Every structure is written in C-alpha cells, then in structure tokens.
Amino acid sequence: MAKNVANLEIIALKSQLASYVHRFEKEKTPKPRPTPAFRHLWVLLSKHLENWKDSLVMVKPDTVIHWHRTTFKFYWKQKSKIVGRPTISAETIQLIKRIHKENPILSPEKIHEKLRLLGVNKPPAPNTIAKYLPSTRKPPSEKQIQSWKTFLQNHQQETWATDFFTIPTLTFHVLHVLVTSIIKPVKLSISM
C-alpha cells in the first residue's frame, strides 16, 4: 500500500514538472496553465491519494476541487441529455397524409411498409405514423348505447360497488379500509 502511495506521489510531482517545462520553458508563457489532461489527472489523484494537497505546487487545492465539480456537472449533463424519437420532416408527414388520403383503409403498419418501398430513409414507426392520421373512431350507434343500458338493467340486482382507501391516524399509523356494498336499484320518477 505504501509503495502505491509513493508511486502516485511521484506521478503527481512528475505531471506538474512536465506541465511546467512544457508551458513555461518551451512556450515562454509567464504563468503555466494546466492542460485538460493535467486537470483530469489531479481530479483522479485527489480521490486516490491521501495527502494530495501536500504534493500540489502549481495550483491551489480549491482549484482542483473546482475542476472536479465542473467535470462532475459536465458528466451528468451529458448523461442526462433527453433522448427521444427523431424528428420527422414535413415532407414525410405530407407523404403519410397523402398515402392515407389515397387509401384510407391502410393501417399504420402498411403505411410504414409503403414508405420503405417509396425509398424513405428511416421511416417513422407505425405508432408515430398513427399520430398523423385523422381519427377514424365513430360515435357509438343507438344500438350500442341501448345494449349498454340493457346490460345495466339486466344486472342491476347483482351489481356491487367497492372502494379502497387509507386513513392516517393520530399516532401516524396507516389504516387500510375496504368498503364493499350491494347497489340497490332505485327508480326515480321525475314530475314536471
């Protein structure tokens, strides 16, 4: 373990010396500026070397901590970029609408296949294509509405209602409540 620490200290000192020689002597700059590689090295050394502040000569320890925070922010900014579906060009959307207008029976899957046959590079998924198609849902017919009413009337005697909820008590325990009841048919008469 002591040998590893000594090796890390040697790397730390050599990196500072190499940066000093490179920047100060070769480029004749008045104050050596750390390179990105130097910054990353010192961020790593600050995490693995116990007395890293004693080995630091060129910059202050607060600067290395600032580098680490900046790197951390950059890392999470890159990692948390929003990744979603690629945008669809206006021409592809117009083509989807035109294909649907020419043949409204085609499903989004078939339109996807047709786009491939037409040579569209990376056509959108069928779910995305469906967003650009007009809604074909029809309102329920009188027969469907009547059948639902008939169903409710036929099963009114056997209809049950349930509800589940929780109540926090004064002692901060949670009380779980399940309520089940039979719904009795009620006939309402409206007089005018």
Side-chain angles (χ1 to χ4, degrees):
M1 184 70 179
K3 189 175 182 182
N4 288 340
V5 171
N7 287 339
L8 288 175
E9 286 179 349
I10 290 169
I11 291 170
L13 292 170
K14 282 187 175 182
S15 71
Q16 291 180 86
L17 182 61
S19 179
Y20 177 79
V21 168
H22 179 73
R23 295 285 183 169
F24 187 69
E25 291 183 1
K26 290 185 180 178
E27 294 182 7
K28 305 285 188 216
T29 56
K31 184 178 179 184
R33 290 178 16 193
T35 62
F38 180 81
R39 291 178 187 157
H40 292 303
L41 173 67
W42 271 97
V43 167
L44 289 173
L45 289 174
S46 70
K47 295 297 163 198
H48 297 288
L49 190 59
E50 192 173 319
N51 297 327
W52 65 275
K53 292 179 182 178
D54 298 337
S55 305
L56 198 55
V57 176
M58 286 180 58
V59 292
K60 295 177 184 175
D62 292 340
T63 307
V64 175
I65 293 168
H66 174 71
W67 292 342
H68 182 259
R69 288 181 181 154
T70 306
T71 306
F72 185 79
K73 285 178 188 175
F74 178 76
Y75 171 77
W76 281 106
K77 185 178 179 183
Q78 292 298 320
K79 195 169 179 85
S80 62
K81 276 188 177 177
I82 298 172
V83 178
R85 292 181 179 178
T87 57
I88 303 170
S89 67
E91 296 144 0
T92 307
I93 294 170
Q94 291 301 322
L95 185 59
I96 290 169
K97 290 179 178 179
R98 194 190 80 203
I99 292 170
H100 178 71
K101 189 176 181 181
E102 290 171 0
N103 195 349
I105 299 172
L106 287 180
S107 67
E109 290 81 11
K110 292 292 182 185
I111 293 174
H112 176 78
E113 291 174 15
K114 194 154 186 155
L115 289 172
R116 279 199 169 164
L117 291 173
L118 292 172
V120 174
N121 189 18
K122 294 183 180 177
N127 290 345
T128 307
I129 292 171
K131 289 193 318 186
Y132 299 104
L133 302 180
S135 178
T136 56
R137 177 180 267 182
K138 296 176 185 173
S141 66
E142 190 63 34
K143 183 181 176 187
Q144 290 170 329
I145 293 171
Q146 220 168 11
S147 63
W148 180 242
K149 285 179 184 175
T150 308
F151 172 80
L152 288 175
Q153 287 171 353
N154 290 342
H155 297 282
Q156 202 169 23
Q157 301 295 329
E158 298 91 23
T159 306
W160 289 54
T162 59
D163 194 8
F164 179 78
F165 55 93
T166 59
I167 301 173
T169 63
L170 291 174
T171 57
F172 300 109
H173 289 87
V174 178
L175 183 64
H176 301 277
V177 181
L178 175 66
V179 178
T180 305
S181 64
I182 299 173
I183 299 175
K184 299 276 185 185
V186 177
K187 293 207 175 195
L188 297 174
S189 60
I190 302 170
S191 59
M192 297 185 135

